Amino acid sequence: MNETLSLSERADALEHKMMCELDQAIFVKSHLFNLADGNIHAPNTPDAFQNKQLVMGDDPRLPKMPAKPTLIDFFRYRFGPANHMLQSAHHAIKAGMDEKIVLACLLHDIAVIGFIRADHGYWGAQLLEPYVDPEVSWAIRAHQALRFYPDESVGYSYPELYAKFFGADYKPDAYIEDEYKRARNHKWYMTSRMITVYDIYSFDSDLIVCIDEFTDVIGRHFKQPKEGLGFDNSPVAHMWRTLIRPTKFL
């Protein structure tokens, strides 16, 4: 066992090893995970797992979340590498942007790093709506469409990276184009547009930004529930609980 691990981490690793060896648990992918693997026929019924116990609590492979998790806890224990979003918000601060824009930049790809890529602007906005100003959640939703369309007034061009990723002839889906047209005339258009400005040019492998840099901004503009994210009976609490226990069977 890795001697560099803390005592607690070693205990967790040993527990996981014992559970696997004794067939006391199995980690079941949801159908959505299987679809992402191109598998529509993966067995997902209890009969397929013989006598193994199914996970209905914490996954011992993941860091244990606090009883009343905060947004910062999710950055630390659940979100994948978040340096892109942290850089985006860092650059927005350096440019003197309003704190609402800083928060929107900090959270704009929250669905990508914590939940799902497809329609990430919509998922991210929904995840955040009970806890942020409507301007922030709207801007996060709209940035999904705006990033595909240039705006010379703020120096934003179609990203060269997108041409590489999607091909030079790629054309966004019709619903994205419709969303762009609606957003273009919206009163909060420029808030969302600023996300795209500080999004594309924030990739810097040499710049490491810590979430602690944004503690005050989060404290002023994110409505942290006293019960903890996932346990406040909000319309999206189940989404945060899914992030806490992504392998829970039911």
Side-chain angles (χ1 to χ4, degrees), residues 210-222:
C210 179
I211 185 61
D212 293 336
E213 180 177 328
F214 308 102
T215 300
D216 291 342
V217 171
I218 291 171
R220 284 190 287 268
H221 299 284
F222 187 88

Side-chain angles (χ1 to χ4, degrees), residues 130-247:
Y131 314 108
V132 300
D133 189 278
E135 182 177 352
V136 172
S137 58
W138 183 91
I140 289 172
R141 180 183 294 107
H143 98 276
Q144 177 171 331
L146 294 185
R147 63 203 170 107
F148 290 109
Y149 300 91
D151 185 338
E152 294 180 2
S153 73
V154 291
Y156 180 80
S157 303
Y158 183 80
E160 294 181 5
L161 196 61
Y162 285 5
K164 178 181 178 181
F165 282 168
F166 312 128
D169 297 329
Y170 173 75
K171 182 179 180 181
D173 291 328
Y175 77 93
I176 292 292
E177 186 168 353
D178 291 342
E179 186 74 38
Y180 164 70
K181 291 176 181 177
R182 289 191 294 268
R184 193 67 181 83
N185 298 312
H186 198 280
K187 63 181 179 180
W188 293 328
Y189 165 76
M190 196 52 69
T191 302
S192 188
R193 175 53 76 190
M194 287 300 101
I195 293 177
T196 70
V197 169
Y198 296 107
D199 185 6
I200 300 304
Y201 303 106
S202 63
F203 298 99
D204 182 349
S205 59
D206 296 324
L207 175 62
I208 303 300
V209 183
C210 179
I211 185 61
D212 293 336
E213 180 177 328
F214 308 102
T215 300
D216 291 342
V217 171
I218 291 171
R220 284 190 287 268
H221 299 284
F222 187 88
K223 302 168 187 174
Q224 171 66 39
K226 64 180 185 303
E227 303 91 344
L229 289 167
F231 305 103
D232 56 329
N233 198 35
S234 81
V236 299
H238 61 286
M239 296 171 69
W240 294 95
R241 290 196 300 270
T242 298
L243 291 175
I244 295 171
R245 293 175 168 176
T247 54

Side-chain angles (χ1 to χ4, degrees), residues 1-100:
M1 190 173 294
N2 189 342
E3 296 299 325
T4 64
L5 297 177
S6 69
L7 181 61
S8 175
E9 289 170 332
R10 284 154 53 189
D12 289 344
L14 179 60
E15 179 185 12
H16 178 226
K17 181 174 182 290
M18 292 173 64
M19 288 175 69
C20 291
E21 288 177 349
L22 297 175
D23 286 335
Q24 291 182 328
I26 186 169
F27 304 101
V28 183
K29 288 183 177 180
S30 71
H31 190 57
L32 184 63
F33 279 77
N34 289 319
L35 288 177
D37 289 334
N39 188 353
I40 196 173
H41 301 296
N44 228 349
T45 61
D47 291 342
F49 310 124
Q50 300 178 355
N51 296 320
K52 294 180 179 180
Q53 182 178 330
L54 300 171
V55 171
M56 288 297 286
D58 293 332
D59 184 334
R61 299 171 302 177
L62 298 174
K64 188 174 180 62
M65 293 287 284
K68 298 180 180 181
T70 67
L71 178 64
I72 290 179
D73 289 327
F74 278 90
F75 266 90
R76 288 176 173 158
Y77 303 124
R78 283 299 178 270
F79 294 163
N83 202 38
H84 165 61
M85 293 195 335
L86 294 168
Q87 285 185 21
S88 178
H90 175 81
H91 292 324
I93 287 178
K94 294 297 185 183
M97 291 292 104
D98 180 271
E99 286 191 348
K100 282 185 183 179

